[in-house]
Amino acid sequence: MSRTRTRWRLGLTATTLLVASAVLPVPSNAAAADVTDYAINVAPKASGAKIDDTMYGVFFEDINRAADGGLYAELVQNRSFEYSTADNNSYTPLTSWATTGTAKALNDDGRLNARNRTYLALDGGASVTNSGYNTGIRVESGKAYAFSVWARADAAAPLTVTLHDADGALAEARKVTARGGWAKYTAKFTATRSSTTGRLTVAADSPVALDMVSLFPRDTYKGRANGLRKDLAQKIAALHPGFVRFPGGCLVNTGSMQGYDEASGYQRKRSYQWKDTVGPVEQRATNSNFWGYNQSYGLGYYEYFQYSEDIGAMPLPVVPALVTGCGQNKATDDDALLKRHIQDTLDLIEFANGPVTSKWGKKRAQMGHPKPFHLTHIEVGNEENLPTEFFARFTQFRTAIAAKYPNIKVISNAGPDDSGTTFDTAWKLNKDANVDMVDEHYYNSPQWFLQNNDRYDSYDRNGPKVFLGEYASGGNTFKNALSEAAYMTGLERNADVVKLASYAPLLANEDYVQWRPDMIWFNNHASWNSADYEVQKLFMTNVGDRVVPSTATGTPSLTAPISGAVGLSTWATTAAYDDVKVTGEDGSALFGDDFSGDASKWTHTGGGSWSVQDGQYVQSDVAAENTMVSAGDPAWHDYDLHVKATKKSGKEGFLVAFGVKDTGNYYWWNLGGWNNTQSAVEQAVDGGKSTLLAKPGSVETGRAYDVDVKVRGRQVTLYLDGQEWGSFTDDKPAEPFRQVVTKDAKTGDLIVKVVNAQAADARTAIDLGGVRTASRAAVTTLAAAPEAVNSETATAVAPVTSTFKGVADHFTYTFPANSVTFLRIKKG
């Protein structure tokens, strides 16, 4: 997951190509007033790509409270009093706890163990109450809950444990008595009624020290004691993913690479390191989660491997490469530390696969799993923005793994974007070294996904394979899901190049969101599938084993010129603008403003604070983002824009916009973006942005830059201080009609998968190429309004199954507007 500002690539709405088709019967369920004609031709005798069983999977990262407060079933928040300002400025060791009497969080030699550094001391008559996650602790009437606590007391210390809400008790109170040194005490609750606002209270009759206060539902996934929340685990399992990528994302390549130990001063802001997350939960490290909260590591590598095995998915761990990313972008130059991480990676493979007689295989067996987990793939690094530094370290990991475990596939990556200097450099290094697989990540607009279905058509068939480890289209509406479905047809068509693919992120607790969109949403009592989930599930459960080549009619290239007004903006920066000029292609003056008067020519549509100061137009709010002001005629085209721009203060540079239609549709040249590390042209359509062209670079504070943009037709050339910076042509159509055909080797089914991402029905003549089939097809359809969104209380996007009885060698099927349709046709 990339920390940098989300970038969406978009294009203009394409004109649909009308294709004449034969007059054929239309199925009764498909007639509509607005119909566009298409044709699909299947070539069953041609050879298509083999599709691996692991083609589609999931990526689990602890973001949006995906682990603690999410998939990890623990109901007590901050159970070991380890929350700290290192995790979040608002945190204390008593966050999510309320106390009565004398209660102190202590960090001293009386602690439970060196890694569990903080504990709570209660005097007699004191109590502590936990509020759980979201609205509270959720319990269900009649269900059992396992309570445990580690306690230490010099003398016998009776503890009264109650589960309650504002209306009273939720279960019969329990008593345990602590005495002597640290020991674990347990009790069982059976809820007498349901509640989503529960609280857990531990009250002490005499002085006692407490740590690891825990409450688990007994009804976890597979009934495991340190288990997973059942509904979330089941939703993921229902996808039948081919693999599970874990644990990150930015958790892997940010923060210190040191250990959680005395030598490092027990650093909290660390990369995710697997050895911190195995063994007894009370002995596991804690960490500052990159996304702004605490990680308990109760859900760790053992649980990850176990869950992957439970759902029949290939485990795919990611380990640090000792080059930070996600906005940090530093290479760790410590050879001893690098060697330690390489050895840790070798130990991880032994933990997963080694015999019980090995050191780490024995550790796995002691945790309850003597048999190996059959690890076959491992990824080193995540979205590193320093490709040369990353690859130098990656090579050492790869060499060491190959020497000891030659059958393990080692996956590299291509940085955080779908294109650009980092991407190109990383890919060249990977290709020259003939690595097994390269992980690509990108979060783009629906338009980008509709435009780039052919992305992998031109990839080298003999080069490294592609792992599309993170992608999403910038929202959870059905429009987003449609564009992703269209793109997935291209992934399948290129299954000989794209071997693995996973949407991201996977989970989001609605009250703790750091990133949108997300596949599965939840709170403390419910979970629901996004429209994107329904698309992923449809593809994952109907993959097929081989592509059957097919073609379809398409959409012509864009020809209308880029048009729009001009604009100025900033992002977490103050800046001053002057001498704005817009000149037509023939040299005529279309617009000018030297700000010697007021700013009446400009319309302020964004945030921030704009004013004319000393003959310049100044945005003075250093914290404001997207502060757009615009001027001119939205019909302008074929023009030259000149601006003099000066960064005054802040994290980034400045933005100069062109082709401005309205607040959600424009291009801008983002100079000094991404924490002043990169400049790029971004395009926005319907509010979503994506990158068209990017280069590394920064902007100096206080320096006046001459910025010029030349717009000719659909080509744009950009100049900085009189020198050409770059150019691009935005003429790629967004194709609304996409298809792929696959064959299921086991059943012999032909699976025709069609995405119709437009407002018109698509009446389609289908030629099966002479293959013998049954006359009926099992149909699964996802259809909804483009802006439809699933929620806790409403499911606007859900699969509908039916039967189509008109299958023949040549037949017509009308695919509904805004739909994804799978036809499973049995062999004849």
Side-chain angles (χ1 to χ4, degrees):
M1 181 67 60
S2 174
R3 171 78 167 177
T4 55
R5 188 163 67 244
T6 309
R7 300 172 289 280
W8 317 114
R9 175 180 291 174
L10 301 105
L12 300 179
T13 302
T15 303
T16 304
L17 176 66
L18 299 180
V19 180
S21 66
V23 179
L24 295 168
V26 179
S28 60
N29 66 335
D34 295 320
V35 178
T36 300
D37 288 340
Y38 288 90
I40 295 174
N41 293 288
V42 182
K45 294 181 181 180
S47 178
K50 180 182 179 297
I51 306 175
D52 295 342
D53 292 339
T54 52
M55 174 75 183
Y56 296 120
V58 294
F59 166 43
F60 178 86
E61 179 176 9
D62 189 358
I63 184 174
N64 309 313
R65 285 283 185 189
D68 298 329
L71 186 60
Y72 187 47
E74 173 66 77
L75 296 172
V76 175
Q77 183 174 180
N78 190 18
R79 67 182 176 186
S80 59
F81 309 103
E82 295 295 329
Y83 277 25
S84 161
T85 52
D87 308 319
N88 187 295
N89 288 335
S90 67
Y91 282 2
T92 74
L94 287 173
T95 294
S96 297
W97 294 96
T99 61
T100 63
T102 302
K104 296 180 180 179
L106 301 177
N107 182 347
D108 59 26
D109 292 341
R111 62 178 65 90
L112 176 60
N113 57 62
R115 288 189 151 202
N116 208 321
R117 302 194 60 76
T118 307
Y119 65 98
L120 188 70
L122 293 180
D123 279 355
S127 69
V128 60
T129 298
N130 191 266
S131 56
Y133 297 93
N134 300 94
T135 56
I137 293 172
R138 189 266 181 125
V139 298
E140 291 183 76
S141 181
K143 293 287 184 73
Y145 297 85
F147 167 81
S148 65
V149 63
W150 283 78
R152 171 176 57 79
D154 294 334
L159 300 174
T160 302
V161 188
T162 55
L163 190 56
H164 55 93
D165 63 10
D167 295 326
L170 293 170
E172 184 179 345
R174 294 288 183 256
K175 290 185 178 291
V176 297
T177 300
R179 54 171 58 87
W182 285 106
K184 185 177 181 180
Y185 300 90
T186 63
K188 175 187 173 183
F189 287 102
T190 299
T192 54
R193 59 186 177 85
S194 297
S195 177
T196 60
T197 58
R199 300 291 187 268
L200 179 75
T201 296
V202 180
D205 289 352
S206 55
V208 64
L210 305 177
D211 209 339
M212 294 294 291
V213 183
S214 174
L215 186 70
F216 259 90
R218 287 282 182 88
D219 188 20
T220 59
Y221 186 71
K222 300 288 186 180
R224 305 193 188 284
N226 188 53
L228 306 181
R229 178 170 152 175
K230 193 171 183 179
D231 62 327
L232 295 179
Q234 287 175 333
K235 285 185 181 299
I236 299 169
L239 293 167
H240 298 289
F243 65 88
V244 180
R245 179 175 181 251
F246 177 96
C250 287
L251 304 189
V252 166
N253 68 336
T254 54
S256 167
M257 299 294 165
Q258 302 288 339
Y260 191 59
D261 50 34
E262 186 175 3
S264 71
Y266 293 96
Q267 289 190 55
R268 293 290 285 270
K269 294 181 179 292
R270 308 184 320 283
S271 62
Y272 195 111
Q273 300 174 43
W274 80 269
K275 289 180 180 178
D276 287 343
T277 76
V278 297
V281 291
E282 70 275 6
Q283 295 176 17
R284 298 182 188 181
T286 188
N287 202 6
S288 170
N289 183 297
F290 175 81
W291 298 106
Y293 53 90
N294 176 270
Q295 290 175 278
S296 74
Y297 286 148
L299 173 55
Y301 258 81
Y302 177 81
E303 291 77 20
Y304 152 65
F305 280 129
Q306 181 70 76
Y307 181 57
S308 298
E309 181 180 84
D310 285 343
I311 63 177
M314 177 183 79
L316 205 167
V318 188
V319 298
L322 274 73
V323 178
T324 58
C326 302
Q328 297 182 0
N329 303 332
K330 293 181 180 179
T332 301
D333 292 317
D334 184 330
D335 192 57
L337 186 59
L338 174 62
K339 285 182 168 59
R340 192 268 283 175
H341 275 266
I342 292 171
Q343 185 59 50
D344 282 354
T345 303
L346 297 175
D347 292 344
L348 172 60
I349 299 171
E350 183 177 287
F351 177 76
N353 295 349
V356 296
T357 53
S358 66
K359 176 182 176 180
W360 291 101
K362 181 179 179 180
K363 182 76 168 180
R364 181 192 69 240
Q366 289 171 341
M367 294 185 71
H369 202 283
K371 294 182 179 180
F373 283 118
H374 304 295
L375 179 68
T376 59
H377 293 63
I378 196 163
E379 183 173 354
V380 177
N382 170 75
E383 293 188 8
E384 281 72 24
N385 262 312
L386 303 173
T388 303
E389 292 86 343
F390 159 74
F391 202 76
R393 289 154 181 79
F394 169 83
T395 300
Q396 295 186 57
F397 278 86
R398 184 190 184 204
T399 300
I401 295 169
K404 190 168 184 180
Y405 300 106
N407 293 326
I408 295 289
K409 289 189 180 297
V410 185
I411 301 172
S412 181
N413 76 81
D417 297 299
D418 61 89
S419 60
T421 303
T422 295
F423 180 88
D424 293 340
T425 302
W427 254 107
K428 185 177 189 308
L429 291 167
N430 285 307
K431 188 172 182 179
D432 289 348
N434 195 31
V435 302
D436 291 318
M437 192 175 294
V438 178
D439 187 0
E440 295 187 357
H441 295 178
Y442 37 85
Y443 295 89
N444 290 326
S445 70
Q447 202 82 348
W448 186 93
F449 284 98
L450 294 176
Q451 287 176 315
N452 287 277
N453 180 273
D454 62 351
R455 176 181 176 87
Y456 296 107
D457 290 1
S458 59
Y459 270 49
D460 183 357
R461 269 42 206 170
N462 299 312
K465 303 306 179 185
V466 172
F467 173 22
L468 180 50
E470 298 183 30
Y471 72 99
S473 70
N476 280 142
T477 68
F478 189 51
K479 175 178 65 179
N480 299 104
L482 280 171
S483 69
E484 291 153 6
Y487 195 70
M488 292 169 79
T489 66
L491 300 182
E492 289 192 8
R493 187 177 64 253
N494 289 285
D496 57 329
V497 170
V498 183
K499 307 304 288 184
L500 307 168
S502 50
Y503 178 101
L506 178 62
L507 294 169
N509 186 319
E510 67 172 351
D511 292 334
Y512 307 91
V513 180
Q514 290 85 40
W515 185 279
R516 299 171 187 270
D518 305 285
M519 195 194 299
I520 301 170
W521 289 79
F522 65 93
N523 51 38
N524 68 350
H525 62 275
S527 57
W528 54 99
N529 306 331
S530 68
D532 315 74
Y533 174 98
E534 296 298 347
V535 160
Q536 293 292 323
K537 184 178 180 182
L538 187 57
F539 274 84
M540 286 192 201
T541 54
N542 293 277
V543 181
D545 300 283
R546 186 171 292 278
V547 174
V548 181
S550 63
T551 58
T553 48
T555 299
S557 298
L558 299 174
T559 57
I562 292 172
S563 61
V566 299
L568 311 170
S569 190
T570 60
W571 198 291
T573 307
T574 65
Y577 296 92
D578 201 358
D579 297 334
V580 180
K581 298 175 184 176
V582 181
T583 307
E585 185 178 17
D586 60 1
S588 60
L590 300 177
F591 179 85
D593 200 337
D594 62 3
F595 304 105
S596 57
D598 58 24
S600 59
K601 298 177 181 178
W602 297 85
T603 301
H604 184 188
T605 56
S609 177
W610 289 88
S611 61
V612 175
Q613 300 177 20
D614 300 324
Q616 296 180 312
Y617 202 19
V618 179
Q619 198 293 113
S620 57
D621 184 346
V622 74
E625 299 178 347
N626 198 3
T627 64
M628 179 82 82
V629 292
S630 61
D633 187 343
W636 279 346
H637 60 86
D638 297 297
Y639 58 79
D640 297 319
L641 166 63
H642 171 80
V643 179
K644 190 174 288 292
T646 306
K647 172 183 175 177
K648 301 190 71 169
S649 67
K651 297 178 181 178
E652 307 215 345
F654 40 78
L655 302 111
V656 175
F658 55 97
V660 179
K661 293 290 191 183
D662 52 45
T663 57
N665 296 274
Y666 53 85
Y667 301 80
W668 66 22
W669 188 4
N670 185 348
L671 289 134
W674 295 267
N675 292 319
N676 205 17
T677 62
Q678 179 174 288
S679 295
V681 178
E682 299 177 280
Q683 187 185 12
V685 173
D686 296 335
K689 291 193 295 293
S690 61
T691 303
L692 302 182
L693 179 66
K695 294 182 180 182
S698 59
V699 168
E700 297 176 28
T701 301
R703 175 183 167 187
Y705 290 86
D706 285 310
V707 180
D708 290 275
V709 181
K710 180 180 180 180
V711 182
R712 294 293 184 272
R714 299 204 66 81
Q715 183 174 5
V716 177
T717 308
L718 306 110
Y719 301 86
L720 189 62
D721 287 338
Q723 300 296 313
E724 183 174 331
W725 178 86
S727 64
F728 67 93
T729 302
D730 180 28
D731 62 354
K732 202 167 189 179
E735 173 59 70
F737 186 85
R738 292 294 188 185
Q739 100 297 332
V740 69
V741 181
T742 64
K743 186 173 183 178
D744 187 320
K746 184 177 180 180
T747 64
D749 291 357
L750 205 62
I751 313 170
V752 179
K753 311 172 188 183
V754 176
V755 180
N756 182 27
Q758 60 185 329
D761 287 3
R763 183 172 54 210
T764 307
I766 301 175
D767 180 352
L768 295 180
V771 65
R772 294 182 62 185
T773 67
S775 61
R776 296 189 178 197
V779 183
T780 304
T781 305
L782 292 170
E787 302 302 325
V789 177
N790 289 348
S791 67
E792 179 184 351
T793 57
T795 306
V797 182
V800 174
T801 59
S802 60
T803 301
F804 173 60
K805 301 178 181 179
V807 178
D809 187 42
H810 294 75
F811 69 100
T812 292
Y813 191 93
T814 299
F815 297 96
N818 300 308
S819 68
V820 183
T821 305
F822 280 29
L823 304 173
R824 286 194 76 112
I825 306 171
K826 294 192 175 298
K827 61 182 179 181

